[in-house]
Amino acid sequence: MPTVVFHKQGQVHTGDVAANTNLVVRAGIRQFPFPHLAYGCGMGKCGKCACRVLRGSEHLPPPNWKERQRLAERIEDGYRLACQIWVTHDIELAQSGPVPPVRRIPMPQRETGGQGDVCHSDEQAGAVPDRSG
Amino acid sequence: MTEPMNQVEFRAALEQAIKGKSANKSPFSIAWASGKLTRAHLARWAENHYHYVGPFADYLAYVYARMPDTYTEAKDFLLSNMYEEEIGGDRHTDLLIRFAEACGTTRERVTNPDNMSPTTRGLQSWCYAVAMREDPIVAVAALVVGLESQVPSIYRRQTPTLRETYGFTDEEVEFFDLHIVSDEIHGERGYQIVLEHARTVEMQQRCLKICEIGAQMRLLYTNALYRDYVEAELPSAVLERAA
């Protein structure tokens, strides 16, 4: 069961999801990462679900044509569209606000099991704040 | 049965009601998934499918209007479902027409109701009748759980074939890609609404029955596509050997 670590507005939310999960589908049915994950059309057009992948990108397939079209050079910075990816392994993502840089950082310790949502501040979780400007 | 099922039991019963009549089992779906259809067959599918799914927001609008105002979650779901069908991103029917044009037909032919089969007209009419006449929770069970929730599993089987076997481009099959995500959300939220609000034995039985009928209607429609447009060129005996 993959663990998803989700950074948003200085907070870190952690939850387990079933293998082969689409996080926009999860948020759409009101499960973690709801209500933290912003999303819109669910069809790779609006870009509202864009997230920077901090860890676990090696387990994702290459960006598809919609991601290439919508994200362009931001793909090089580690961005993906959450609506276009199916999570099969542990992954760490950041969305909007102060985005941590793409670098290997330790996975924050989870405090509970199951599919609950565990929240920390980025500082508590040991994440490195974005200094890229 | 004197006691209503709990949510786990009721969910399993709903899934079972749909499963037996899944449209995945129709010869048209089998021919599609095994790459046996021609682009002309797929064009006829698109010309029919438009009249089934095109008014989906209309069906939901009738349900929305009759949903009790205290069922805020259910009303919001219906409204966002309508929004996503029409103006959330690309209009879904425009993507269907893009696929239809890639199959060799035209926007005019697709939107012309004279080009749907009588069975498609029957399915469309059934959807309108359910939306207008049934209890709104029963209507959600029919249209969303019974019909829309089937779509991801159908398109997950059919979409790779469209690219790899039929040679369509990514843009041409976008209609199918988007439904794998959006209909999974819609189907699951439909389940949540029905599980939450169908709390009596009578309501649960009505929901189960209409799910079963919805799945039958979709299977009827899909079987008719095969009979009306494909069977003469691809008899079932040939199809069975290919499957």
Side-chain angles (χ1 to χ4, degrees):
Chain A
M1 184 174 276
T3 297
V4 177
V5 179
F6 186 69
H7 297 250
K8 181 79 180 271
Q9 295 174 335
Q11 298 288 305
V12 185
H13 310 277
T14 304
D16 290 341
V17 299
N20 209 26
T21 287
N22 182 294
L23 295 179
V24 168
V25 170
R26 288 269 306 189
I29 62 175
R30 304 298 187 255
Q31 294 178 1
F32 173 82
F34 177 84
H36 314 297
L37 175 70
Y39 67 95
C41 67
M43 55 197 292
K45 284 285 160 70
C46 71
K48 286 180 185 167
C49 65
C51 291
R52 197 172 189 185
V53 181
L54 307 178
R55 205 168 69 94
S57 62
E58 69 273 20
H59 298 300
L60 298 175
N64 68 20
W65 67 280
K66 293 179 186 176
E67 294 179 280
R68 291 195 301 273
Q69 200 171 68
R70 184 67 185 77
L71 296 170
E73 69 278 4
R74 294 175 78 198
I75 287 173
E76 298 304 315
D77 297 329
Y79 282 90
R80 301 295 300 263
L81 295 178
C83 71
Q84 298 298 305
I85 57 178
W86 273 258
V87 174
T88 55
H89 293 76
D90 291 356
I91 193 167
E92 186 165 353
L93 310 134
Q95 188 180 44
S96 72
V99 180
V102 180
R103 54 183 285 190
R104 296 256 173 211
I105 55 176
M107 176 84 84
Q109 289 295 309
R110 289 166 50 218
E111 290 181 355
T112 63
Q115 296 193 19
D117 171 9
V118 182
C119 177
H120 312 270
S121 71
D122 258 351
E123 193 177 345
Q124 288 170 320
V128 180
D130 184 19
R131 295 190 178 91
S132 62
Chain B
M1 187 178 289
T2 54
E3 293 294 319
M5 288 175 266
N6 65 37
Q7 291 200 352
V8 174
E9 294 166 337
F10 186 32
R11 166 123 198 182
L14 287 166
E15 287 173 349
Q16 193 57 40
I18 296 164
K19 200 173 167 185
K21 300 291 179 191
S22 167
N24 280 339
K25 295 178 179 175
S26 84
F28 191 85
S29 299
I30 293 166
W32 183 317
S34 57
K36 297 293 174 192
L37 298 178
T38 64
R39 289 204 176 203
H41 295 144
L42 293 168
R44 301 294 85 74
W45 171 83
E47 288 165 2
N48 280 272
H49 206 66
Y50 177 87
H51 297 286
Y52 159 41
V53 300
F56 214 84
D58 296 26
Y59 311 147
L60 296 182
Y62 285 108
V63 183
Y64 179 86
R66 297 191 305 110
M67 186 68 76
D69 61 359
T70 51
Y71 291 9
T72 307
E73 271 279 311
K75 288 187 85 84
D76 288 352
F77 159 69
L78 291 165
L79 199 56
S80 73
N81 194 333
M82 284 185 264
Y83 172 82
E84 286 158 19
E85 286 286 334
E86 299 297 329
I87 50 177
D90 288 336
R91 197 180 296 278
H92 289 193
T93 45
D94 283 342
L95 299 180
L96 176 58
I97 290 169
R98 186 195 298 167
F99 174 72
E101 288 171 340
C103 295
T105 185
T106 63
R107 176 178 285 269
E108 290 68 31
R109 272 195 60 85
V110 172
T111 56
N112 184 346
D114 290 345
N115 292 323
M116 72 173 131
S117 79
T119 314
T120 303
R121 201 179 292 277
L123 175 61
Q124 186 200 69
S125 303
W126 181 79
C127 291
Y128 274 121
V130 164
M132 292 180 193
R133 299 179 62 185
E134 288 289 352
D135 177 284
I137 295 300
V138 176
V140 170
L143 298 172
V144 182
V145 174
L147 295 179
E148 200 174 14
S149 78
Q150 281 199 69
V151 172
S153 77
I154 295 170
Y155 288 177
R156 226 176 254 123
R157 281 159 52 99
Q158 293 176 338
T159 308
T161 315
L162 289 172
R163 287 197 183 91
E164 293 155 19
T165 307
Y166 295 102
F168 289 101
T169 66
D170 290 330
E171 286 84 352
E172 288 167 345
V173 299
E174 189 178 0
F175 173 78
F176 303 90
D177 266 347
L178 85 92
H179 280 98
I180 291 173
V181 171
S182 67
D183 284 354
E184 195 143 342
I185 295 174
H186 297 163
E188 186 56 35
R189 290 208 60 201
Y191 269 109
Q192 290 173 349
I193 288 164
V194 172
L195 295 176
E196 170 69 22
H197 294 292
R199 289 172 174 264
T200 65
V201 173
E202 191 245 342
M203 275 295 285
Q204 289 184 343
Q205 291 304 315
R206 285 174 66 188
C207 289
L208 286 171
K209 185 64 185 173
I210 205 125
C211 270
E212 194 181 320
I213 295 170
Q216 283 173 342
M217 291 302 293
R218 185 164 177 137
L219 181 61
L220 177 75
Y221 155 75
T222 316
N223 282 341
L225 292 174
Y226 173 73
R227 192 187 58 239
D228 293 343
Y229 305 113
V230 181
E231 190 172 26
E233 295 160 44
L234 185 61
S236 56
V238 175
L239 186 59
E240 280 162 20
R241 281 201 299 274

